[in-house]
Amino acid sequence: MRTIEAESQVLRDLREESALVTARSHPDFTVWAVRHPTLGKLVIVEGRDGSGIVVETEE
């Protein structure tokens, strides 16, 4: 498993390229679980300021 810091544009691009599995909002952040065609399963965590992290999980 790898964790990568990402800017808002990268997070947005990954979400647009991926199939949504589930999403959950919190007042301070939003979490998406997605399936990317080449990167596989990802968890995207985006803070209120638009930046966040991407977690690559193993298949």
Side-chain angles (χ1 to χ4, degrees):
M1 185 174 352
R2 292 187 337 179
T3 303
I4 305 160
E5 289 188 41
E7 295 179 3
S8 61
Q9 184 62 47
V10 173
L11 299 175
R12 192 174 314 118
D13 290 346
L14 286 172
R15 286 195 320 266
E16 290 174 0
E17 296 168 355
S18 302
L20 179 66
V21 176
T22 188
R24 183 82 185 239
S25 291
H26 181 275
D28 296 324
F29 55 87
T30 304
V31 177
W32 291 270
V34 299
R35 187 175 305 275
H36 190 273
T38 56
L39 299 174
K41 295 178 185 177
L42 301 174
V43 176
I44 301 169
V45 182
E46 183 176 14
R48 284 189 283 184
D49 66 353
S51 65
I53 60 170
V54 177
V55 180
E56 284 185 294
T57 63
E58 297 177 15
E59 288 288 332

